[in-house]
Amino acid sequence: MKSYQKLTTTQPAARRVEEEGAAPLPTDRGKLAPWWVGSGLLVVAVLLSTITVWVLRQVSGGWLGATPPPKCLLVPESHRFDCYPERHVVVTQEMCESRACCFIQVPPPAEGKQGVPWCFYPPDFPSYTLESLNQTALGMTGLLVRREKAYYPRDIEKLRLDVEFETDTRLHIKITDAANPRYEVPLDVPRVMKRAENPIYSLNFSWDPFGVLLQRKTTGAVLLNTTVAPLIFADQFLQISTSLPSKFLYGLGEHRGSLLHSLDWNTLTLWARDVSPTETFNLYGAHPFYLLMEEGGDAHGVFLLNSNAMEVALQPAPGLTWRTIGGVLDFYIFLGPDPNMVIQQYQQVIGFPAMPPLWALGFHLCRWGYGSSNETWQTVRAMRNYQIPQDAQWNDIDYMDGYRDFTLDSQKFASLPSLVQDLHKHGQHYVMILDPGISSTSPHGSYWPFDEGLRRGLFLNTTQGQPLIGQVWPGYTAFADFSNPDTHQWWLENLQHFYAHVPFDGLWIDMNEPSNFMDGSEDGCPPGDFDSPPYTPAVLGDSLSAKTVCASAKQKASVHYNLHNLYGLMEAKATASALIQIRGKRPFVISRSTFPSQGRYSGHWLGDNRSQWKDMYYSIPGLLSFSLFGIPLVGADICGFSGSTSEELCTRWMQLGAFYPFARNHNTQNEKAQDPTAFSPAARTAMKDVLLTRYSLLPFLYTLFHRAHLQGDTVARPLFFEFPWDVATWELDRQFLWGRSLLVTPVLEPGVDSVTGYVPQGTWYDFYTGSSVNSSGEMLKMSAPLEHLNLHIREGSVLPTQKPGTTTEVTRGNPLRLIVALSSHATAWGDLFWDDGESLDTFEQGNYSYVVFNVTQNIFTSTVLHASTEATKVTIGTLSIFGVQKPPSKVLLNGQEKPFSYLDNQVLTVSDLGISLSQGFSLQWL
């Protein structure tokens, strides 16, 4: 009998394998107690209590059929790992036992909820055995053998295990077919040259059954224990389960919900799908990465590098099961130990995000339903008339001729080139939408994108080798195959042709799951294991081809079955590359579908949300999740896309949206306008004011993006990232931070003039007034009239701000104001990254300035660590110091007395400094 067990390094069936190397195979493979049992007494207690409950349920008719075997009764409900995960099947005892699993019927959960599986693995279910384990230069390699067939077809008898101790905080574990090559994600990952010398983790293996046990050395916390359920590795069904050290788990996108996932029998499906964000649905992108907070405040992350259709089943044990239907099991584990470091380590594998152009951080305005370029232009003029900040004007598919890519409606949008010229003249930018579906019905010779794509063989093909035809906005369409490098060249040429008429600045790539208005194709999908696999994860529509193309479609790099979740990433890569070649500047791309490493090429918006209060709330966990995924340039459609907004909702949403890293107001057709100029003077002023606040903070925000690009820091940040020791922050997702030091507490409910938010321990300063709030780590009620957004600065920080203008171009020429928030020890620190805002690779080429601000012992110091000519074009005008305990008698700037003001709320202000950013200086108050 094989048991799935909790391992300790003293048990004979476990072999301790650490960075020093593997010991020889043990000769005595002893049998162990089931993994959830800590002692013999507990075995008896669990058994007796379970049998008692079972007897009671027998009497009440709760269970059907014969008495379950004792080995099944021994498994507590929360630890039952599903042996029959197929959806829309009422599992019977006969079906379950045909898989050699335990069957215990329990009362069904509430409507729409999942519950305890009726069919689950017994402790002795056959799994793989670790037959051999050998040292390698980077770790070890092993052979796994399965002696009994699993219940999915084409299960693989022999597996290869590769373990690499890549860094002291990163472990790489890969399991694949020992005999035959399998599809692997074509993602560039780092190749290490030497084994980690002092890893902060220790690794153990169970030999029979095979299992991995990973522990954190400092605390002994068990981060992975895969002995909890059998490993299954069939051609189209790969499954591995693990226990979790806590219930505080985040990530696993793209889904709508709270930031913290529920582990109450919750299955999350990863399969890119075009659907308005809805709870429980698989949405536009796929991100098989989770971050977990451990007891005590440590954190770790796990990334499964796999692009096939997948589901992740969470259960209250706490436990997790990865289920994917292709590829290999390729895991990276990141040991942190704090959550910021976990995300940095994750991005060291998938790549750091691109540095956006400065204008990308301005305010963007769009809608579907601008009837013409003149109507679009009227909106731009109205924004200018009210002096409301705006950096980019967008158009949805209205601008196209018959909704065909790379065309222009010559009637309604004839003046678009002039509009774009006017935007550029005012320091503004133009962004347009593109879809990957290329119209296939135009007469031959009349539509070059399709004709040329067909001639070069650049579309997805059916199994018969003909272009797969689906239906999107223009009608029947073929789909560009971005896995083919030749498609990137064709995409570039199409964009070059259009740019000659309309010199756009950025691109919005939509519908790239890819979306299809029909299931599969105009001819449906052929029979076979790609379109009808042995197991289909819990995807919306119950079919891999639901509202997308056939999984059997052929692409250059592989079959669509393997590449579907990569479609948006591959299109973003082609689009960013084209923009660089056309404009010679940093590309700006916003994509709907995403996959790990997307941040290197694009940002993301959270899709077709609704004008509802709950949608505004859900945008916060959405943007924080994408911060975890390495895509910091993210936001939701401000005021909601579909449905009709209200003035109150739109005002509150503009306040929140002004603090999305990517801030765009977007609206659907046939709804009333919701740009700031469409509302009453009071609402319009509130919206303008909060946008001016955003623009004043652009130097701070831009520096955060530099840190994201350089080392993988998050921009929008959950509170628990900065206060991981404070368990009260672990569930917070109605507030967030910019970086480590600016706390945003929006109003998310109608009809209120106050908001309750959590203020972590320490001193915080009101952003607008500098008045201090001392918190012990508590919920505080804050005044929040309709025109006010609560912002607080954390003690010990320096925020570089700037006098705001109506565009980033105007703003960047204005004087800087440095806001110092003194700690209780009267210290503070901050930094500023400054360049021309648009050139490629400024940091890499040394064309930037980097300035560090420091306060200690009543002396503020600005130190220029790196200088460029751009810094000579801007001056530091004002220094505001919050938390100066007593009025100074004098202030010295580089030793010279300087006028100052001091307010009762302990704010010291020194104005008219007139110092070039390129010059270091010191300011002292006595």
Side-chain angles (χ1 to χ4, degrees), residues 150-213:
Y151 48 83
Y152 285 105
R154 302 185 301 283
D155 66 335
I156 296 168
E157 180 189 356
K158 294 182 179 180
L159 302 177
R160 177 187 170 106
L161 167 72
D162 286 294
V163 177
E164 294 183 352
F165 301 100
E166 293 198 339
T167 73
D168 289 346
T169 56
R170 184 172 87 225
L171 176 66
H172 187 188
I173 300 175
K174 185 174 176 180
I175 302 172
T176 188
D177 188 336
N180 299 296
R182 292 180 59 80
Y183 163 77
E184 296 187 28
V185 182
L187 188 70
D188 292 330
V189 292
R191 298 281 175 229
V192 297
M193 304 308 293
K194 65 172 190 170
R195 180 187 182 126
E197 294 180 359
N198 297 294
I200 65 172
Y201 49 84
S202 63
L203 186 63
N204 297 256
F205 290 111
S206 166
W207 298 83
D208 186 8
F210 166 72
V212 174
L213 183 133

Side-chain angles (χ1 to χ4, degrees), residues 756-770:
T756 301
Y758 188 78
V759 180
Q761 185 175 9
T763 302
W764 296 79
Y765 297 91
D766 184 288
F767 170 79
Y768 309 98
T769 67

Side-chain angles (χ1 to χ4, degrees), residues 347 352-358 360-362 586 588 590 599 602-604 623 626-627 630-635 659-663 694 697-717 738-739 831 833 835 843-844:
Q347 291 174 89
F352 296 125
M355 184 69 187
L358 178 63
L361 306 184
R586 275 177 233 164
F588 173 72
I590 294 293
S602 85
H604 172 64
L623 75 93
F626 274 86
S627 290
I631 307 176
L633 190 63
V634 59
F659 286 84
Y660 293 156
F662 165 57
R694 176 191 179 88
L697 282 159
L698 283 173
F700 176 57
L701 180 61
Y702 193 64
T703 301
L704 291 177
F705 269 96
H706 167 68
R707 298 177 75 87
H709 171 62
L710 188 63
Q711 62 192 37
D713 284 7
T714 52
V715 175
R717 190 171 301 177
W738 266 12
D831 61 345
F833 176 82
D835 61 10
F843 177 78
E844 291 77 5

Side-chain angles (χ1 to χ4, degrees), residues 7-27:
L7 297 173
T8 69
T9 56
T10 58
Q11 291 169 324
R15 172 60 57 198
R16 188 174 183 80
V17 184
E18 289 192 59
E19 64 284 359
E20 293 81 22
L25 284 166
T27 53

Side-chain angles (χ1 to χ4, degrees), residues 48-49 51 85 91 139 154 189 265 332 362 435 492 498 573 612 633 663 709 741 769 809 827:
L48 287 175
S49 63
I51 291 173
V91 182
R154 302 185 301 283
V189 292
W265 306 106
Y332 289 86
D435 295 335
L492 168 64
F498 193 80
K573 197 171 182 178
Q612 297 177 5
L633 190 63
H709 171 62
S741 48
T769 67
E809 185 177 278
T827 59

Side-chain angles (χ1 to χ4, degrees), residues 44-120:
V44 175
V46 170
L47 189 56
L48 287 175
S49 63
T50 308
I51 291 173
T52 303
V53 172
W54 172 78
V55 170
L56 290 172
R57 286 186 175 171
Q58 282 286 83
V59 172
S60 64
W63 282 325
L64 304 174
T67 303
K71 68 179 182 182
C72 298
L73 290 170
L74 192 62
V75 183
E77 287 188 354
S78 64
H79 295 75
R80 292 176 184 172
F81 286 82
D82 199 346
C83 177
Y84 218 112
E86 283 79 357
R87 293 298 177 96
H88 309 300
V89 173
V90 178
V91 182
T92 65
Q93 184 166 345
E94 184 180 14
M95 292 162 65
C96 179
E97 291 177 353
S98 72
R99 294 187 172 184
C101 287
C102 294
F103 183 80
I104 299 180
Q105 193 172 336
V106 297
E111 183 71 28
K113 297 279 187 183
Q114 297 168 249
V116 181
W118 292 1
C119 184
F120 57 95

Side-chain angles (χ1 to χ4, degrees), residues 199-267:
I200 65 172
Y201 49 84
S202 63
L203 186 63
N204 297 256
F205 290 111
S206 166
W207 298 83
D208 186 8
F210 166 72
V212 174
L213 183 133
L214 180 69
Q215 289 178 284
R216 185 181 298 282
K217 282 184 178 177
T218 52
T219 63
V222 177
L223 310 184
L224 295 177
N225 178 358
T226 70
T227 67
V228 296
L231 167 65
I232 296 179
F233 201 122
D235 183 36
Q236 290 182 274
F237 186 89
L238 291 72
Q239 177 175 281
I240 190 167
S241 302
T242 181
S243 62
L244 299 171
S246 87
K247 64 177 184 177
F248 292 95
L249 183 141
Y250 315 83
L252 299 174
E254 182 177 2
H255 297 94
R256 162 178 284 209
S258 56
L259 180 63
L260 178 68
H261 285 302
S262 166
L263 269 58
D264 187 19
W265 306 106
N266 181 20
T267 297

Side-chain angles (χ1 to χ4, degrees), residues 28 108 122 125 140 207 227 324 354 385 466 492 527 550 594 628 676 702 752 783 818 878:
D28 175 19
F125 192 93
M140 57 201 71
W207 298 83
T227 67
T324 183
N385 183 51
Q466 298 300 311
L492 168 64
C550 298
T594 59
L628 270 57
Y702 193 64
V752 298
S783 175
L818 305 178
T878 305

